[in-house]
Amino acid sequence: MKTKKWLGLFTTFMVSISILIGCSSGEKTAETSNQPATETATQEVPVSERKPLRIGIEAEPTSLDPFNSSDSISSFVQSGMFESLLKFDQDLNIVPSLATEFSFNENLNEVTLKLRQGVKFHDGSDLNATVVKQNFDFLMDPNNKLARRSFLSFIEEVNVVDDYTVTFVSADPYAAIPAYLAHYRDWE
């Protein structure tokens, strides 16, 4: 009986060691090389030597379109590709992202956002209040049948105040407007 116990422990130990060795890449990292980490981190890798980054997630995103998906997996993947006007910090406070600040009117049915200037889309066009309004008008149009439309159905209209200021209006007082504008992003 003692022999079986020791054999079982030895086998478990060997399997564990094999798994740990098998998971090792064998490559030197900044911790094991003689180079300081800052030098390693700042060296540019030639394009021919770059490797794809693979990330495992529990399911496929339903869509890469932030207007036409409402599942958390899609939102997680989209958060690496898109920025929102507002976002949550680690303490779940609403903080600026593409907006630099936001404020309510007295009735709490309007939220005005000041947009960060100098933001460019991948095609070189500018982010401004007109673009924000156009995107939200598209989202809120019932003919487009977008998944996220119902999520923001309390928004009555989006108004351009100036080139870098936009106001979201709801019919009733609604203090959660900024939280909804930050919602689809994952936290920092």
Side-chain angles (χ1 to χ4, degrees):
M1 190 65 150
K2 268 188 168 183
T3 306
K4 284 186 177 181
K5 181 178 177 182
W6 282 110
L7 184 59
L9 286 172
F10 179 74
T11 303
T12 303
F13 175 75
M14 291 306 291
V15 169
S16 298
I17 293 297
S18 297
I19 290 171
L20 289 174
I21 292 170
C23 291
S24 170
S25 67
E27 296 176 15
K28 286 188 175 185
T29 63
E31 293 175 330
T32 59
S33 71
N34 294 330
Q35 294 179 325
T38 54
E39 284 182 31
T40 304
T42 58
Q43 292 176 351
E44 177 136 354
V45 177
V47 174
S48 62
E49 294 178 25
R50 294 180 188 170
K51 297 178 182 175
L53 173 65
R54 290 178 173 69
I55 300 172
I57 53 177
E58 64 266 21
E60 290 288 321
T62 59
S63 175
L64 296 180
D65 180 355
F67 289 158
N68 206 24
S69 61
S70 58
D71 62 292
S72 60
I73 298 296
S74 295
S75 295
F76 172 76
V77 172
Q78 292 162 9
S79 71
M81 298 184 286
F82 303 106
E83 285 189 72
S84 58
L85 297 171
L86 303 170
K87 61 185 174 185
F88 293 103
D89 68 9
Q90 291 178 342
D91 298 320
L92 298 181
N93 297 307
I94 300 166
V95 295
S97 183
L98 290 174
T100 58
E101 63 183 79
F102 66 95
S103 59
F104 286 96
N105 68 347
E106 272 185 30
N107 297 329
L108 295 178
N109 72 323
E110 294 182 9
V111 175
T112 300
L113 289 86
K114 299 274 186 188
L115 302 176
R116 193 172 1 136
Q117 296 184 28
V119 175
K120 303 271 186 198
F121 288 99
H122 69 283
D123 66 356
S125 61
D126 292 325
L127 171 72
N128 57 42
T130 302
V131 170
V132 171
K133 178 180 174 35
Q134 288 171 342
N135 276 275
F136 276 90
D137 286 350
F138 178 78
L139 171 63
M140 300 312 298
D141 184 345
N143 295 323
N144 293 328
K145 298 181 176 136
L146 297 170
R148 203 161 274 280
R149 179 180 176 273
S150 64
F151 190 70
L152 298 169
S153 61
F154 60 87
I155 296 174
E156 294 267 311
E157 61 183 343
V158 180
N159 297 319
V160 172
V161 177
D162 62 38
D163 286 349
Y164 293 98
T165 309
V166 64
T167 299
F168 292 85
V169 181
S170 66
D172 300 309
Y174 201 62
I177 295 172
Y180 277 85
L181 294 176
H183 181 267
Y184 97 91
R185 290 277 298 173
D186 69 327
W187 305 302
E188 278 193 341

